[in-house]
Amino acid sequence: MTTTVAGPAGRTGKNDPARPGPPAREQGRGRRRRGILGENPIGVLLSAPYIAFIALVFAYPIVFAVWMSFHDYFFAAPGAQVDRPFVGFENYVAVLSDPKVWQSFYNVGVFLVINVPLTVVISILLATALNRVVHAKTFFRVSYYVPYVTASVAVVAVWMFLFAKNGLINQILGPLAPNPSWLVNSALAMPTIAFFVTWKGMGFYILLYLAALQNIPKELYESVSMDGGGRVRQFFSVTVPGVRPATLLVVLLSTITGANLFTEPYLLTGGGGPNGASATPVLLIYQKGIQQGNPDVAAAIGVMLIIMVLALAAIQRKFVGGEES
Amino acid sequence: MRRRILTLAAVAAGALALTACGGGGGSAGEGMDSKGDITIWYSNNEAEIEWGKQMVEAWNADHPDEQIKAQEIPAGKSSEEVIGAAITAGNAPCLVFNTSPAAVPGFQKQGGLVNLSDFEDGDSYITERSGDIAEQYRSEDGGFYQFPWKSNPVMIFYNKALFQQAGLDPENPKLSTYDEFLETARTISQSGVAPFAINPAPTSEFFQSWFDFYPLYAAQTGGTQLVEDGAATFNSEDGATVADFWRTLYDEGLAGREQYQGDAFADAYAAMAIVGPWAISVYEDVDWGAVPVPTENGTDPAETWTFSDAKNVGMFSACENKGTAWDVLKFATSEDQDGKWLESTGQMPLRQNLTETYPDYFSANAAYEQFGDQASRTVEVPNVQNSVEIWQTFRDGYSKSVIFGEEDVSAFLQDAADKIDSLASGS
């Protein structure tokens, strides 16, 4: 007996009319019309300013940074005769053999492990609570948003006061206070910074979640309620899946913020101390590129940072969910 | 189509990147005799602005065809970063009266500085004004790419009132040897008159070692720079002695490991400070005294060295009228203008025989006389390539070992010396 795997007749052929895309005859005409500007030359022309903007503001610096990272590059006065030879992976070897660089990436890892989950959990909880607030809604939303729009330099002194050796937190903790204190403790400096950044950025992420919550149909909550589900069940069965795209955005944005961390550790711990425990890759980029006149090495760190963020984004997309959710 | 657009964008960006890498002809040595209007920058310190304005007015009144346009250094994270950016952009002024010696090797590498030795009387004017101390500012190729202008020889400031409260003699404090200094610091700490005996910034910026380790190292060694003849000097008995001294202060809680927001000495948060005379105006509400930095066994104040904390004048290659710029530089550092500088700011012109040159000022301002005397025994940061990276390397190791006690001092000195030897050799 012969078994035949039945399939829709003719569905595999190139000229199958059911195949997605324009009919073969139209495709042929499209190919004939397509010039250097493609099928829609006016569309290309209209988008040209945007493409130029992207090329100048985003693509150019990235391509230039990659170019710098493979050359012995330094900033020079216009007209100065300088030699900038190709050095291959020399800058990357210098970066990868520098323990400070590894430590800075480790520090960022510590930061992200604390900051990202904390940001997601607290933001979604507060947004859900705020969404149910009836009175003084604006007051609460603005209260959470104020730290986000306030410059770090303006609020960092308050945290230094709170977490200083004789600060309020240690006075409350009494004998339980850590020694050395928070910001000069190698193990606690980065977590303290992570808490600061979480608090500071919370308002923005709450707004993202609030916007996402508006799109969840109320019928879903009613349905769970009719099935006997309480607030907790509603939260996990409706709210959490309903705001999944927002969660992906929050995770991505907080990861990018963490990877670009500079101001807070610089201000809170005075340039990467204690003992480099709060140094970040961007701080090293600043030191190497601006202070020490080695933009080539700084560019190599920058390229590595971009690769790290892209890799993290890909992982997060896989686990948190992408467009299909 | 999307792919094609992206390809076009990438090609355009790559082309832009490559065209940005081209360079033209040099200009550092051009226009050395050219005369005309010039622009200068000076510090945004109030006293320095006052001096700068009168200097510019005095020059402009006599030189209608060579006017000076002056402004404060544009706001930025630090003067060095602003100047570095201006060099790259090609819009640096002719003169900057606030150029850090540590930044000079970098500016020189950028092709941003004029070699003042190229002026006919460049070398002779500088060495006649500053004497032997000028040699510290000479670059490796033998030229002067900075004009040695003024120093702030750092000393130990102490709060007489707090010393009195702690039962110490405020007029003759025991701060000469390390043992005396530690004993005095312990007395202050135990008496509770201030949270810390001394509180230099414990942060990790590359320049912070200029105000804790380096002055004491200069004193302990009788004037040795951190790097000499292309090699680190501090991995020695003297270096270890100084580092151990500071580590004791931190280990015993006599110096603070936390960054203080404000001026610890002015706020009586610390009973002592290491600083130069520029800060005297900041301490107007404090009854202070000053003594030379300590050494292990005590050194005669007349023979004690310290860190200069100097700021110099740089002439930048973007200047079109370098002839005028050189004339202005000589005018601004003349005996008359140096005297006015001294009067306005209390900072020491890098001029030999300073106290003899301005006897009236020093007799009227006795508190400044010791700084005037100390100015002749100051050590500058080494004028070597990778200067800032060298200091950052040192600071990182110092922070780990001395401030936070997480590494042996000897291991820190060895490790930092190895790295700095490599950096100083240009690796």
Side-chain angles (χ1 to χ4, degrees):
Chain A
M1 196 175 84
T2 306
T3 306
T4 306
V5 178
R11 292 291 292 268
T12 53
K14 233 179 176 182
N15 295 319
D16 175 9
R19 189 183 167 89
R25 209 154 24 122
E26 284 183 32
Q27 280 184 340
R29 280 209 300 271
R31 271 200 298 273
R32 281 200 298 275
R33 280 207 302 267
R34 195 178 293 164
I36 191 166
L37 294 177
E39 291 176 41
N40 300 299
I42 293 176
V44 174
L45 284 175
L46 288 173
S47 58
Y50 180 69
I51 294 167
F53 176 80
I54 293 287
L56 277 172
V57 178
F58 295 106
Y60 169 64
I62 290 174
V63 172
F64 192 23
V66 173
W67 186 90
M68 276 201 292
S69 71
F70 287 102
H71 289 78
D72 180 7
Y73 187 90
F74 59 93
F75 298 123
Q81 292 283 7
V82 293
D83 191 22
R84 289 161 175 158
F86 176 76
V87 294
F89 286 96
E90 202 174 279
N91 292 318
Y92 288 93
V93 170
V95 166
L96 292 171
S97 58
D98 186 347
K100 282 173 65 181
V101 175
W102 287 105
Q103 188 183 4
S104 73
F105 277 93
Y106 171 77
N107 293 341
V108 163
V110 170
F111 175 90
L112 292 177
V113 164
I114 297 169
N115 172 260
V116 176
L118 211 56
T119 297
V120 170
V121 171
I122 297 177
S123 298
I124 197 170
L125 287 174
L126 286 174
T128 308
L130 278 175
N131 203 35
R132 294 176 185 275
V133 168
V134 179
H135 301 292
K137 194 181 283 185
T138 308
F139 168 76
F140 283 114
R141 290 182 182 184
V142 170
S143 299
Y144 284 112
Y145 200 66
V146 164
Y148 180 73
V149 293
T150 308
S152 287
V153 287
V155 291
V156 84
V158 177
W159 276 68
M160 293 187 81
F161 166 74
L162 287 173
F163 287 92
K165 187 179 178 186
N166 300 316
L168 189 62
I169 302 293
N170 280 358
Q171 285 181 16
I172 293 168
L173 290 174
L176 296 175
N179 186 25
S181 197
W182 303 89
L183 293 166
V184 291
N185 187 309
S186 296
L188 295 175
M190 208 61 193
T192 309
I193 290 166
F195 282 113
F196 172 80
V197 175
T198 306
W199 166 78
K200 193 174 181 310
M202 191 70 67
F204 175 67
Y205 299 115
I206 287 173
L207 283 188
L208 286 181
Y209 274 122
L210 276 171
L213 287 170
Q214 311 304 315
N215 293 327
I216 300 177
K218 291 208 170 21
E219 292 79 10
L220 292 175
Y221 288 104
E222 288 166 8
S223 172
V224 174
S225 181
M226 287 178 72
D227 288 344
R231 287 274 171 87
V232 175
R233 169 60 63 194
Q234 287 176 18
F235 178 76
F236 284 106
S237 297
V238 179
T239 304
V240 172
V243 297
R244 204 171 175 188
T247 301
L248 178 66
L249 185 62
V250 169
V251 167
L252 271 177
L253 289 177
S254 55
T255 301
I256 292 167
T257 303
N260 288 315
L261 196 66
F262 171 76
T263 311
E264 288 80 8
Y266 189 82
L267 293 174
L268 279 169
T269 58
N275 185 22
S278 63
T280 62
V282 181
L283 177 77
L284 294 186
I285 289 172
Y286 162 70
Q287 286 183 342
K288 298 278 183 191
I290 306 297
Q291 286 189 326
Q292 300 169 8
N294 295 313
D296 46 2
V297 177
I301 300 174
V303 170
M304 287 174 55
L305 191 61
I306 291 171
I307 292 169
M308 185 201 83
V309 171
L310 289 175
L312 274 178
I315 293 167
Q316 288 167 349
R317 188 184 168 88
K318 184 174 174 62
F319 285 98
V320 181
E323 287 166 2
E324 67 276 10
S325 59
Chain B
M1 188 172 76
R2 191 176 171 194
R3 184 179 295 169
R4 183 180 298 162
I5 291 168
L6 289 172
T7 308
L8 279 171
V11 169
L16 281 168
L18 294 173
T19 52
C21 305
S27 61
E30 293 171 7
M32 299 294 274
D33 299 323
S34 182
K35 299 289 178 81
D37 295 349
I38 66 167
T39 301
I40 69 168
W41 289 351
Y42 44 63
S43 166
N44 51 14
N45 173 300
E46 196 176 329
E48 296 188 35
I49 292 170
E50 182 190 331
W51 171 82
K53 283 184 174 173
Q54 70 77 30
M55 186 276 287
V56 170
E57 281 173 17
W59 172 271
N60 284 348
D62 292 339
H63 300 83
D65 298 329
E66 298 171 77
Q67 293 283 287
I68 301 173
K69 184 182 170 189
Q71 67 172 78
E72 295 172 34
I73 290 180
K77 190 145 191 66
S78 72
S79 302
E80 293 72 40
E81 288 165 27
V82 172
I83 296 167
I87 289 172
T88 308
N91 59 7
C94 283
L95 300 170
V96 176
F97 286 79
N98 197 38
T99 303
S100 168
V104 166
F107 293 164
Q108 189 183 339
K109 183 183 175 186
Q110 285 185 278
L113 288 168
V114 174
N115 182 0
L116 302 176
S117 299
D118 287 346
F119 289 104
E120 196 177 329
D121 57 345
D123 256 49
S124 58
Y125 181 77
I126 290 169
T127 51
E128 280 168 20
R129 177 176 175 273
S130 298
D132 293 342
I133 215 158
E135 292 307 313
Q136 296 185 98
Y137 301 96
R138 206 185 275 279
S139 289
E140 287 174 335
D141 68 0
F144 281 111
Y145 289 82
Q146 58 186 319
F147 186 95
W149 180 38
K150 51 111 171 181
S151 72
N152 277 285
V154 301
M155 300 178 75
I156 301 288
F157 278 63
Y158 64 95
N159 186 319
K160 288 185 177 178
L162 294 182
F163 269 53
Q164 181 94 49
Q165 288 173 40
L168 298 162
D169 182 353
E171 299 308 322
N172 297 292
K174 291 188 174 177
L175 295 168
S176 178
T177 68
Y178 288 171
D179 287 342
E180 283 181 1
F181 195 102
L182 288 169
E183 202 49 48
T184 297
R186 287 173 188 132
T187 304
I188 290 166
S189 181
Q190 284 157 11
S191 67
V193 296
F196 293 105
I198 194 164
N199 198 58
T203 49
S204 304
E205 294 95 343
F206 71 90
F207 51 81
Q208 297 296 4
S209 292
W210 302 345
F211 306 101
D212 43 39
F213 177 87
Y214 201 39
L216 271 67
Y217 180 67
Q220 182 68 18
T221 57
T224 301
Q225 290 187 313
L226 194 81
V227 174
E228 290 188 350
D229 300 324
T233 62
F234 55 81
N235 187 17
S236 62
E237 195 176 325
D238 283 335
T241 303
V242 176
D244 282 334
F245 168 71
W246 277 108
R247 181 156 170 168
T248 305
L249 284 165
Y250 284 109
D251 284 348
E252 294 188 18
L254 305 172
R257 286 180 170 135
E258 287 194 52
Q259 183 181 6
Y260 179 74
Q261 299 300 302
D263 189 306
F265 185 69
D267 297 347
Y269 186 74
M272 292 182 278
I274 302 185
V275 73
W278 70 268
I280 290 174
S281 60
V282 179
Y283 300 154
E284 57 187 11
D285 295 331
V286 181
D287 182 14
W288 57 268
V291 293
V293 297
T295 56
E296 183 181 18
N297 299 315
T299 305
D300 185 337
E303 295 173 8
T304 304
W305 287 69
T306 190
F307 169 57
S308 69
D309 192 16
K311 286 286 189 297
N312 294 334
V313 188
M315 184 184 294
F316 293 84
S317 53
C319 181
E320 291 181 358
N321 297 313
K322 297 185 180 72
T324 296
W326 176 238
D327 290 341
V328 168
L329 186 45
K330 287 191 287 186
F331 172 76
T333 55
S334 61
E335 189 174 318
D336 178 48
Q337 283 296 329
D338 276 351
K340 287 175 177 159
W341 168 264
L342 197 54
E343 289 276 358
S344 298
T345 68
Q347 299 180 53
M348 306 295 136
L350 273 170
R351 175 177 278 280
Q352 59 181 330
N353 304 320
L354 186 65
T355 49
E356 291 90 339
T357 308
Y358 304 101
D360 294 344
Y361 173 82
F362 285 108
S363 60
N365 299 278
Y368 286 85
E369 189 163 13
Q370 57 188 332
F371 295 102
D373 178 57
Q374 181 74 75
S376 61
R377 295 180 306 282
T378 55
V379 170
E380 190 45 77
V381 295
N383 192 348
V384 293
Q385 55 186 327
N386 297 321
S387 176
V388 174
E389 196 170 358
I390 283 171
W391 283 106
Q392 187 67 64
T393 301
F394 183 85
R395 188 65 184 177
D396 289 341
Y398 183 88
S399 168
K400 185 176 183 179
S401 168
V402 175
I403 298 177
F404 293 103
E406 294 182 7
E407 186 183 35
D408 285 342
V409 164
S410 57
F412 143 60
L413 293 172
Q414 181 67 57
D415 187 38
D418 290 344
K419 290 177 184 167
I420 289 172
D421 284 348
S422 173
L423 288 167
S425 69
S427 302

